[in-house]
Structure formats: C-alpha cells, structure tokens
C-alpha cells in the first residue's frame, strides 16, 4: 500500500565541477559556515557558492554576481532576537529564536554575514507518507453520544492540513444540509502566483489564498472559474476525508471522524522547513482570528535531521503545543520495513563500519543518495567512504570534501556547528555526474572519533534516495525510523495498524493485500527518537483505508472504491488524520485543552491486546486509539478543578486492565488503593502528594482472580469508594 503514495522531494541536485577537489572549510567565510548542508549543496549545484561565499571583500559581491541570478530560497534564520527583528527582508513567520523568510541569493549572503545570526536552514527531501477504521476506534459511539455527556462531531473546530490540496467540489466537504455552502474556510496554494485580483495571504509574500466566498462562487457555477487550486495527487483530499468528511457522497458510509469540523488547507508544491513552519502559522492564525481551537496534521516527514527535537521545525511544533486549543498530529513515517538506520557506540580512535548495498537499477537522468550521520560525545571525527570499486573518499569535522569517483560523485559536508544538544553531523551526497551514476554494490562507511569522550555514539540514516532497493547493514530494523518532525516533543505522532485487507473496486473486482487484521502495518515507523524518547504516542488505522478521492487525481482503477468518489490509500499518512479528528472532538467540548493534557489522556486511553503486546512500547506507543474513552476523559479534564472527584472505572467489567480517573482540587496527600471483597489491600495505585488537576491511572489485574474489587480515593476532607468487576 505504501507504493500508492509517491515520494515528493524538494528537487534533485546536479553538480558542476569537473575534477576531484578537497574543499577546506577555511577557504569560505563565516557566512558559508552558517548554512545547513542541504542549502550548501543546492547553492553549489546552482553555481552560487563560488560567486557569493569565497573570502573576498563584501563590496565586490555585486560585481561578481551574474545578473541572471534571481533564484529565491525559503529559509529559516536562527539567531539573536534583536538581529532577527532588524533583518533587511520580509519576514513571513516569527518564533522564539528564529524566523522564516523568502530570500534571494544576494539577501542570503547579506544575512549570513550579520553578527548574531547563527544558522540558516533550508532542510528538505520530505516524503508523503473509512469504513472499518471508523468503528474500530469507536467513533460511532462518540458521534451518537454513547457513554459520554453529549454527541461529538467536531463542531466549531478547525482541521488544518499542509498537503497536496483538496477537491473542494467533493460533496463530503460541503454542508450536509446546504451543498452550496463549503466547509472550507480558506485554501493557501503555494504553487500559484497571483493573477488578476488574487493575492497572497496577509503577512506572507508568496502563493495565492482563496477564501470561502471564492470557493462557494464556483460551487454555485458548478465549475472551476474563480479558483485555480486543485489536488491532482489525491493525498490531501483523502486524509481530509478521514479526519472530517461528512460522508454525503457515499450516503454516510464513509463518514470521517469529525464531520462537523471546518477546514483550512495549505497546498504545497515543494516542502522546505520554512514553508512547513509558515503553513502551521497560517492555519493557527486563522483559528485565532476566529476564536476557535485547531488541529494541524502533517502527513509527511524527512530523515534529514538529528531526530532529537532540536530542529527549528520541531521547535515550531513545540511552541504551538504550549497554547491551549492547539495541537499538531504527525505521521510516524513509512520506513518500518526498510533498512535505513544503523547505530553504534565507538571508542575514541577506534573505527566502526557499516555498509550500504545498492541493488541493480535502471539509471535515470537524476540519481541521488543522501545519508546523515549524527554523532555525539566527540569534538572531532573522521568519516571514510569506500565505493563499490574500491575508491576512498574521507574527511574530518570542519572540512567539506567533493570527489568524482568511478562510482559516482561523492560529497561529504561536515559542519563544525553543533545542534542544541551538542551533536555534530556528516552529511553525505552521492550523485551522478558526467554520465556516471552511483554504482550498484556495497558502499562501506567507516567512522572514527578522534577527540572527545572515551566513547561516542553515532546514528546514521539513509535520508533520501531516488532508488528503491537500498539497504544498510547492520541495521536497527523498525527502531529509530520515526521521521522528523514526528520526533518533536510537542507533536502527537501516530503509527498505523491494519483494520482491513480486502476491498472491491468500481468495476466490482475484489482485491486483497497481505496483512493481519489488528496487527501493526508492516511499513509503520517505530521509535525511539535519537535522544531516547517514546515515539509514536498512539496507533490508528492506516492500511487499506477508504476515503474521499479527488476528481483531479489519477488513481489506478484497482485503488478506486465501489462507491463513486472514494479511493483506497494506505500509510501512516492515513493513520494521523484519525487522531486529528479525535482531538477535534475533544476540542469541541473542551477548547482549552493543551497538548500535554491530550498526551496525558492518551497515556491511559490506548487499547492493549495480543497484537500490541505490553504497552507502552516503541512500535505502538500507548496502544490503539479508543476514541470513546478518550472523549469521556476530556469531558472531565479541567485546568482549575473545583472539587475532589472519583469516577467509575472504564471499562467495567474488565479483563485484565482498567482505567481509574479522579480529580484533585488542591495540592494534597493522596491515596488510591484497591481492595478485594474481604477488605484486604490488593494494590496501592497512588501514595503521593499531588498537585490539583485531573488524573488517570491504570490497574492491571492479570495476577488476580475473577471477582468484585473496590477502589478507594482518600485525601484530606474526601473519602470515596467504588466497585469494579474483573472477569477472566
């Protein structure tokens, strides 16, 4: 199923040198050293490096620059707040410690030379990653109001997408009672330049924005006249249907998770770190303008980064997560069955090696392989690469190396600048040049720490490749394959499991894929992050998912559904919007929830079964989503509780685990104890001083016999006991 979603890259890179050369970092000025590896590689490719960044007087820059150089770059600029406030360019988005901007190469050069500007980042090489899925997560019960205070469908909540667009003509995205009214508040299409009366969104200097009135004018006409945006891929329309489609086209058969929510959509043409940050800010700014809570979904990711929460894109996610009524759901990635990662601990002055095997392939005009090796515990290190033909290319920290070999062109970028946690990087680009593509066979990488601590650890990711059959040995299998920004602290990262393996296409032909219902999807990426944190947090359906299909997308017939207007897709891309929709239901009845509170509920609401094994773990996080319990818990989740409360456990009866919720209204010494029918103490769940808030704890009765048990909450001035039934 993963093959349905074609990789989207930010462009393939061409090199313009004709001989082997070592690039000493000292040849280039401080401005060059502030650029991230992707930006260095692209500037070199375009021929800008030598013109703009060699050490020469600043007054010579203008005369050296060819007049035809009008290339612009979307970048993140990090540094001192005072300097960021006075940059000589239009700022699109502001965050603590960094901003985004669209800059020319002249402006890039000028900014890079400013004291107080620390780092300029482009990033790149992102990839895109309802029927049975809806009842499996118990959304039908939430829609009907079963076991919760009132029905929830996402009313007055905004679903925000940065994706391939949306088919705004699809009936599932219109008002169910008035099909002339769109549920889409706005669409910002990055691929377009303004024409006629079109314009950029306020505060941004690229793309075209269409508001609801524009969309409804075309709905009334029945054809695209005022609005030029389309979704010719189908990915964005599909995930929008999962999160909030109202099922109108299929007479309710494929209703999404939050069918009363409204949409803000960002359509991308290319993805860079700066643009993703801009897209999130655009969506949340509209939500703030309307006074509504919002969830943003990112069903894409990259392995081009440190995977430890320090990138500016991850920081942007974290900063949004601090706000009440904001959340970001992120696809874990589709690398769970790919051998893309290796990790080792190495003694100082010792060498550890790993290999990359490239299977035979048909060379294209553009062939690229990108590795990122992150290391810590050492100040300086050496990386040596041996090609399949036996040629060696090596460099040390602080020295960039480019060499044309008989097996392809090899570039190693080794910046001295460490990330916020002290890690350093070797970025490796292997590309075709002079009609010499990267050779099939075994490529050996040898890493040697030269200074620093007694032992160093490195993690290497195959970050991007235009060839499909590449593997690393040794490898960590599913572990460490969650992609960025899914490694952000404040993002809610989602893995995928299987709820269906068969479907019938629009011609009545039945199809089946390999898989086990209830099991983790084979492609679903797993944790931990490079710094050892649990990811993903939760798992949702993501294999053989039926949802809205864009009329402008070319979907193979066998991936269409028997019901017109729907298609079959698969990937963690499809799992993440399930959780997005569930969070929208929470925001409907508690718009002031924060991300840390949502994660707190997730920790105790995931379902454990024979497929998940003991949770939490690095494949399933806290288990399979249970939307009914999730919604019920959030009804009682308040920032300033006014009274002590103890709730009935859920589920009840139970086997073997159940969840107990309680509220503490003032800082207190708290006991939560389980007793059997004879009054004997069975388990002490809580014995601590707790701050005022809502709490959820799990009780595991695996080692206890069936029967009635009692649980008692005791605090000063409050004492309550409830019963629960354990049935094996």
């Amino acid at each position: 199923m993963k093959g349905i979603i074609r990789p989207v890259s930010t462009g393939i890179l061409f090199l313009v040198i004709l001989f082997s050369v070592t690039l000493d970092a000292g040849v280039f000025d401080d401005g060059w050293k502030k650029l991230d590896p992707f930006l260095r590689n692209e500037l070199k490719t375009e021929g800008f490096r030598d013109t703009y960044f060699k050490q020469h007087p600043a007054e010579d820059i203008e005369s050296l620059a060819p007049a035809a150089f009008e290339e612009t770059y979307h970048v993140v600029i990090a540094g001192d707040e005072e300097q960021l406030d006075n940059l000589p360019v239009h700022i699109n988005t502001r965050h603590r410690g960094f901003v985004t901007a669209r800059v020319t190469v002249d402006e890039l050069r000028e900014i890079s030379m400013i004291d107080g500007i620390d780092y300029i980042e482009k990033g790149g090489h992102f990839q895109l990653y309802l029927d049975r899925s809806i009842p499996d997560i118990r959304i039908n019960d939430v829609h009907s109001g079963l076991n919760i205070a009132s029905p929830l469908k996402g009313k007055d909540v905004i679903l925000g997408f940065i994706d391939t667009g949306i088919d705004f003509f699809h009936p599932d995205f219109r008002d169910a009672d008035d099909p002339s009214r769109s549920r889409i508040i706005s669409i910002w299409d990055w691929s377009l330049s303004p024409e006629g009366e079109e314009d950029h969104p306020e505060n941004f200097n690229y793309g075209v924005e269409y508001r609801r009135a524009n969309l409804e004018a075309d709905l009334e006409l029945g054809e695209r006249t005022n609005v030029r945006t389309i979704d010719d891929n189908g990915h964005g329309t599909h995930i929008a249907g999962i999160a909030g489609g109202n099922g109108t086209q299929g007479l309710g058969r494929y209703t999404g998770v939050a069918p009363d929510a409204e949409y803000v959509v960002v359509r991308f043409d290319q993805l860079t770190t700066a643009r993703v940050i801009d897209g999130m800010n655009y969506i949340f700014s509209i939500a703030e303008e309307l006074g509504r809570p919002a969830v943003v979904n990112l069903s894409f990711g990259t392995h081009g980064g440190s995977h430890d929460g320090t990138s500016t894109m991850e920081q942007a996610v974290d900063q949004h997560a601090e706000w009440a009524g904001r959340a970001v759901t992120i696809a874990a990635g589709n690398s769970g069955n790919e051998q893309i990662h290796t990790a080792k601990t190495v003694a100082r002055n010792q060498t550890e090696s790993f290999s990359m095997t490239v299977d035979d392939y048909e060379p294209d005009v553009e062939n690229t392989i990108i590795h990122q090796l992150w290391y810590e515990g050492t100040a300086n290190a050496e990386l040596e690469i041996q090609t399949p033909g036996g040629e060696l290319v090596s460099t040390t920290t602080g020295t960039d190396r480019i060499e044309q070999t008989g097996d392809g062109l090899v570039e190693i970028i080794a910046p001295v600048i460490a990330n916020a946690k002290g890690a350093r990087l070797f970025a490796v680009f292997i590309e075709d040049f002079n009609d010499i593509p990267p050779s099939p066979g075994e490529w050996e990488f040898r890493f040697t720490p030269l200074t620093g601590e007694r032992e160093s650890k490195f993690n290497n990711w195959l970050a991007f490749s235009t060839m499909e059959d590449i593997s690393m040995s040794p490898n960590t299998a599913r572990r460490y394959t969650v992609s960025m920004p899914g490694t952000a602290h404040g993002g809610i990262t989602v893995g995928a499991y299987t709820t269906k393996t068969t479907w019938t296409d629009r011609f009545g032909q039945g199809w089946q894929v390999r898989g086990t219902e209830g099991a983790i999807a084979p492609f679903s990426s797993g944790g931990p992050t490079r710094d050892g944190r649990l990811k993903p947090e939760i798992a949702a359906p993501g294999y053989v998912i039926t949802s809205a299909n864009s009329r402008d997308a070319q979907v193979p017939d066998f991936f269409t559904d028997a019901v017109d207007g729907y298609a079959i897709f698969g990937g963690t891309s499809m799992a993440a919007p399930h959780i997005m929709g569930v969070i929208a239901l929470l925001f409907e009845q508690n718009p002031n929830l924060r991300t840390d509170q949502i994660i707190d509920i997730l920790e105790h609401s995931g379902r454990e079964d024979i497929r998940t094994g003991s949770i939490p773990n690095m494949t399933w996080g806290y288990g399979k989503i249970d939307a009914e319990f999730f919604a019920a818990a959030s009804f009682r989740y308040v920032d300033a509780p006014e009274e002590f409360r103890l709730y009935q456990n859920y589920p009840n009866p139970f086997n073997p685990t159940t969840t107990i919720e309680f509220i503490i209204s003032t800082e207190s010494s708290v006991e939560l104890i389980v007793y059997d029918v004879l009054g004997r103490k069975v388990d002490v769940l809580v014995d601590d001083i707790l701050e005022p808030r809502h709490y959820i704890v799990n009780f595991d009765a695996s080692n206890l016999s069936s029967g009635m048990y009692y649980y008692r909450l005791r605090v000063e001035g409050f004492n309550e006991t409830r019963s629960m039934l354990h049935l094996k």
Side-chain angles (χ1 to χ4, degrees), residues 133-165:
S133 69
I134 297 303
D136 184 83
I137 66 175
R138 305 184 71 181
I139 281 296
N140 292 341
D141 293 345
V142 181
H143 288 176
S144 66
L146 183 67
N147 296 326
I148 58 177
S150 64
L152 299 174
K153 293 187 177 181
K155 183 175 175 57
D156 295 326
V157 180
I158 290 174
L159 304 174
F161 295 93
I162 304 173
D163 216 281
T164 63

CSV table of all heavy atoms in Angstrom, one decimal, residues 133-165:
chain,number,residue,atom,x,y,z
A,133,SER,N,-12.2,1.3,9.6
A,133,SER,CA,-11.4,2.1,10.5
A,133,SER,C,-12.2,2.9,11.5
A,133,SER,O,-11.8,3.1,12.6
A,133,SER,CB,-10.4,3.0,9.7
A,133,SER,OG,-11.1,4.1,9.1
A,134,ILE,N,-13.4,3.4,11.1
A,134,ILE,CA,-14.1,4.3,12.0
A,134,ILE,C,-14.7,3.5,13.1
A,134,ILE,O,-14.6,3.8,14.3
A,134,ILE,CB,-15.2,5.0,11.2
A,134,ILE,CG1,-14.5,5.9,10.1
A,134,ILE,CG2,-16.1,5.8,12.1
A,134,ILE,CD1,-13.6,6.9,10.7
A,135,PRO,N,-15.5,2.4,12.9
A,135,PRO,CA,-16.0,1.6,14.1
A,135,PRO,C,-14.9,1.0,14.9
A,135,PRO,O,-15.0,0.8,16.1
A,135,PRO,CB,-16.8,0.5,13.4
A,135,PRO,CG,-16.5,0.5,12.0
A,135,PRO,CD,-16.0,1.8,11.6
A,136,ASP,N,-13.7,0.7,14.3
A,136,ASP,CA,-12.6,0.1,15.1
A,136,ASP,C,-12.2,1.0,16.2
A,136,ASP,O,-11.8,0.5,17.3
A,136,ASP,CB,-11.5,-0.3,14.2
A,136,ASP,CG,-10.4,-1.0,14.9
A,136,ASP,OD1,-10.5,-2.3,15.1
A,136,ASP,OD2,-9.4,-0.4,15.4
A,137,ILE,N,-12.1,2.3,16.0
A,137,ILE,CA,-11.7,3.2,17.0
A,137,ILE,C,-12.8,3.8,17.9
A,137,ILE,O,-12.6,4.7,18.7
A,137,ILE,CB,-10.8,4.4,16.4
A,137,ILE,CG1,-11.7,5.3,15.5
A,137,ILE,CG2,-9.6,3.8,15.6
A,137,ILE,CD1,-10.9,6.5,15.0
A,138,ARG,N,-14.0,3.2,17.6
A,138,ARG,CA,-15.2,3.5,18.4
A,138,ARG,C,-15.7,4.9,18.2
A,138,ARG,O,-16.3,5.6,19.1
A,138,ARG,CB,-15.0,3.2,19.9
A,138,ARG,CG,-14.5,1.8,20.1
A,138,ARG,CD,-14.4,1.4,21.6
A,138,ARG,NE,-15.7,1.3,22.2
A,138,ARG,CZ,-15.8,1.1,23.5
A,138,ARG,NH1,-14.8,0.9,24.3
A,138,ARG,NH2,-17.0,1.0,24.1
A,139,ILE,N,-15.5,5.5,17.0
A,139,ILE,CA,-16.0,6.8,16.7
A,139,ILE,C,-17.5,6.8,16.6
A,139,ILE,O,-18.2,7.8,17.0
A,139,ILE,CB,-15.4,7.4,15.4
A,139,ILE,CG1,-14.0,7.9,15.7
A,139,ILE,CG2,-16.2,8.5,14.8
A,139,ILE,CD1,-13.9,9.0,16.7
A,140,ASN,N,-18.1,5.8,16.1
A,140,ASN,CA,-19.6,5.8,16.0
A,140,ASN,C,-20.3,6.0,17.4
A,140,ASN,O,-21.3,6.7,17.5
A,140,ASN,CB,-20.1,4.4,15.5
A,140,ASN,CG,-19.6,4.2,14.0
A,140,ASN,OD1,-19.3,5.2,13.3
A,140,ASN,ND2,-19.6,3.0,13.5
A,141,ASP,N,-19.7,5.5,18.4
A,141,ASP,CA,-20.2,5.7,19.8
A,141,ASP,C,-20.1,7.2,20.2
A,141,ASP,O,-21.0,7.7,20.8
A,141,ASP,CB,-19.5,4.8,20.8
A,141,ASP,CG,-19.8,3.3,20.6
A,141,ASP,OD1,-20.8,3.0,19.9
A,141,ASP,OD2,-19.1,2.5,21.2
A,142,VAL,N,-19.0,7.8,19.8
A,142,VAL,CA,-18.8,9.2,20.1
A,142,VAL,C,-19.8,10.1,19.4
A,142,VAL,O,-20.4,11.0,19.9
A,142,VAL,CB,-17.4,9.7,19.9
A,142,VAL,CG1,-17.2,11.1,20.3
A,142,VAL,CG2,-16.4,8.8,20.7
A,143,HIS,N,-20.0,9.8,18.1
A,143,HIS,CA,-21.0,10.5,17.3
A,143,HIS,C,-22.4,10.4,17.8
A,143,HIS,O,-23.1,11.4,17.8
A,143,HIS,CB,-21.0,10.0,15.8
A,143,HIS,CG,-19.8,10.4,15.0
A,143,HIS,ND1,-19.5,9.9,13.8
A,143,HIS,CD2,-18.7,11.1,15.4
A,143,HIS,CE1,-18.4,10.4,13.3
A,143,HIS,NE2,-17.8,11.2,14.3
A,144,SER,N,-22.7,9.3,18.4
A,144,SER,CA,-24.1,9.1,18.9
A,144,SER,C,-24.2,9.5,20.3
A,144,SER,O,-25.3,9.6,20.9
A,144,SER,CB,-24.5,7.6,18.8
A,144,SER,OG,-23.6,6.8,19.7
A,145,GLY,N,-23.1,9.8,21.0
A,145,GLY,CA,-23.2,10.2,22.4
A,145,GLY,C,-23.2,9.1,23.4
A,145,GLY,O,-23.5,9.3,24.6
A,146,LEU,N,-22.9,7.8,23.0
A,146,LEU,CA,-23.0,6.7,23.9
A,146,LEU,C,-21.9,6.8,24.9
A,146,LEU,O,-20.7,7.0,24.6
A,146,LEU,CB,-22.8,5.4,23.1
A,146,LEU,CG,-22.9,4.1,23.8
A,146,LEU,CD1,-24.3,3.9,24.4
A,146,LEU,CD2,-22.5,2.9,23.0
A,147,ASN,N,-22.3,6.7,26.2
A,147,ASN,CA,-21.4,6.7,27.4
A,147,ASN,C,-20.6,8.0,27.6
A,147,ASN,O,-19.7,8.0,28.3
A,147,ASN,CB,-20.4,5.5,27.3
A,147,ASN,CG,-21.1,4.2,27.3
A,147,ASN,OD1,-22.1,4.0,28.0
A,147,ASN,ND2,-20.6,3.2,26.6
A,148,ILE,N,-21.0,9.0,26.9
A,148,ILE,CA,-20.4,10.3,27.1
A,148,ILE,C,-21.5,11.4,27.3
A,148,ILE,O,-22.7,11.1,27.1
A,148,ILE,CB,-19.5,10.8,26.0
A,148,ILE,CG1,-20.2,10.8,24.7
A,148,ILE,CG2,-18.3,9.8,25.9
A,148,ILE,CD1,-19.3,11.3,23.5
A,149,ALA,N,-21.2,12.6,27.8
A,149,ALA,CA,-22.2,13.6,28.1
A,149,ALA,C,-23.0,14.0,27.0
A,149,ALA,O,-24.2,14.3,27.2
A,149,ALA,CB,-21.5,14.8,28.8
A,150,SER,N,-22.5,14.1,25.8
A,150,SER,CA,-23.3,14.5,24.6
A,150,SER,C,-22.5,14.1,23.3
A,150,SER,O,-21.3,13.9,23.4
A,150,SER,CB,-23.4,16.1,24.6
A,150,SER,OG,-22.2,16.7,24.5
A,151,PRO,N,-23.3,14.0,22.2
A,151,PRO,CA,-22.6,13.6,21.0
A,151,PRO,C,-21.6,14.6,20.6
A,151,PRO,O,-21.7,15.8,20.8
A,151,PRO,CB,-23.8,13.6,20.0
A,151,PRO,CG,-25.0,13.4,20.8
A,151,PRO,CD,-24.7,14.2,22.1
A,152,LEU,N,-20.5,14.1,19.9
A,152,LEU,CA,-19.4,15.0,19.5
A,152,LEU,C,-19.1,14.7,18.0
A,152,LEU,O,-19.0,13.6,17.6
A,152,LEU,CB,-18.1,14.7,20.3
A,152,LEU,CG,-18.2,15.0,21.8
A,152,LEU,CD1,-16.9,14.5,22.4
A,152,LEU,CD2,-18.5,16.5,22.1
A,153,LYS,N,-19.1,15.8,17.2
A,153,LYS,CA,-18.7,15.7,15.8
A,153,LYS,C,-17.8,16.7,15.3
A,153,LYS,O,-17.6,16.9,14.1
A,153,LYS,CB,-20.0,15.7,14.9
A,153,LYS,CG,-20.9,14.5,15.1
A,153,LYS,CD,-22.1,14.5,14.2
A,153,LYS,CE,-22.9,13.2,14.4
A,153,LYS,NZ,-24.1,13.2,13.4
A,154,GLY,N,-17.1,17.5,16.2
A,154,GLY,CA,-16.1,18.5,15.8
A,154,GLY,C,-16.6,19.8,15.5
A,154,GLY,O,-15.9,20.6,14.9
A,155,LYS,N,-17.8,20.2,15.9
A,155,LYS,CA,-18.4,21.5,15.6
A,155,LYS,C,-17.5,22.6,16.2
A,155,LYS,O,-17.1,22.5,17.3
A,155,LYS,CB,-19.8,21.6,16.2
A,155,LYS,CG,-20.5,22.9,15.9
A,155,LYS,CD,-22.0,22.9,16.4
A,155,LYS,CE,-22.7,24.2,16.2
A,155,LYS,NZ,-22.7,24.6,14.7
A,156,ASP,N,-17.3,23.7,15.4
A,156,ASP,CA,-16.6,24.9,15.7
A,156,ASP,C,-15.1,24.6,15.9
A,156,ASP,O,-14.4,25.4,16.6
A,156,ASP,CB,-17.2,25.5,17.0
A,156,ASP,CG,-18.6,26.1,16.7
A,156,ASP,OD1,-18.8,26.5,15.6
A,156,ASP,OD2,-19.4,26.1,17.7
A,157,VAL,N,-14.6,23.5,15.4
A,157,VAL,CA,-13.2,23.2,15.5
A,157,VAL,C,-12.6,23.2,14.0
A,157,VAL,O,-13.3,22.9,13.1
A,157,VAL,CB,-12.9,21.8,16.1
A,157,VAL,CG1,-11.4,21.5,16.1
A,157,VAL,CG2,-13.5,21.7,17.5
A,158,ILE,N,-11.4,23.7,13.9
A,158,ILE,CA,-10.7,23.8,12.6
A,158,ILE,C,-9.7,22.6,12.4
A,158,ILE,O,-8.9,22.3,13.3
A,158,ILE,CB,-10.0,25.1,12.5
A,158,ILE,CG1,-11.0,26.3,12.4
A,158,ILE,CG2,-9.1,25.1,11.2
A,158,ILE,CD1,-10.4,27.6,12.4
A,159,LEU,N,-9.8,22.0,11.3
A,159,LEU,CA,-8.9,21.0,10.8
A,159,LEU,C,-8.0,21.6,9.8
A,159,LEU,O,-8.4,22.1,8.8
A,159,LEU,CB,-9.6,19.8,10.2
A,159,LEU,CG,-10.7,19.1,11.0
A,159,LEU,CD1,-11.4,18.0,10.2
A,159,LEU,CD2,-10.1,18.5,12.3
A,160,GLY,N,-6.7,21.6,10.1
A,160,GLY,CA,-5.7,22.3,9.2
A,160,GLY,C,-4.8,21.3,8.6
A,160,GLY,O,-4.2,20.4,9.3
A,161,PHE,N,-4.6,21.4,7.3
A,161,PHE,CA,-3.8,20.4,6.5
A,161,PHE,C,-2.7,21.2,5.7
A,161,PHE,O,-3.0,22.2,5.1
A,161,PHE,CB,-4.6,19.6,5.5
A,161,PHE,CG,-5.6,18.7,6.2
A,161,PHE,CD1,-6.9,19.1,6.4
A,161,PHE,CD2,-5.2,17.4,6.6
A,161,PHE,CE1,-7.8,18.3,7.0
A,161,PHE,CE2,-6.1,16.6,7.2
A,161,PHE,CZ,-7.4,17.0,7.4
A,162,ILE,N,-1.5,20.7,5.7
A,162,ILE,CA,-0.5,21.1,4.8
A,162,ILE,C,-0.2,19.9,3.9
A,162,ILE,O,0.4,18.9,4.4
A,162,ILE,CB,0.8,21.5,5.5
A,162,ILE,CG1,0.5,22.6,6.5
A,162,ILE,CG2,1.9,22.0,4.5
A,162,ILE,CD1,1.7,23.0,7.4
A,163,ASP,N,-0.7,19.9,2.7
A,163,ASP,CA,-0.7,18.6,1.9
A,163,ASP,C,-0.8,19.0,0.4
A,163,ASP,O,-0.5,20.1,0.0
A,163,ASP,CB,-1.8,17.7,2.4
A,163,ASP,CG,-1.4,16.2,2.3
A,163,ASP,OD1,-1.5,15.7,1.2
A,163,ASP,OD2,-1.1,15.7,3.4
A,164,THR,N,-1.3,18.0,-0.3
A,164,THR,CA,-1.4,18.2,-1.8
A,164,THR,C,-2.6,19.0,-2.3
A,164,THR,O,-2.8,19.0,-3.5
A,164,THR,CB,-1.3,16.8,-2.5
A,164,THR,OG1,-2.5,16.1,-2.1
A,164,THR,CG2,-0.1,16.0,-2.1
A,165,GLY,N,-3.4,19.5,-1.3
A,165,GLY,CA,-4.5,20.3,-1.7
A,165,GLY,C,-5.8,19.5,-1.3
A,165,GLY,O,-5.8,18.5,-0.5
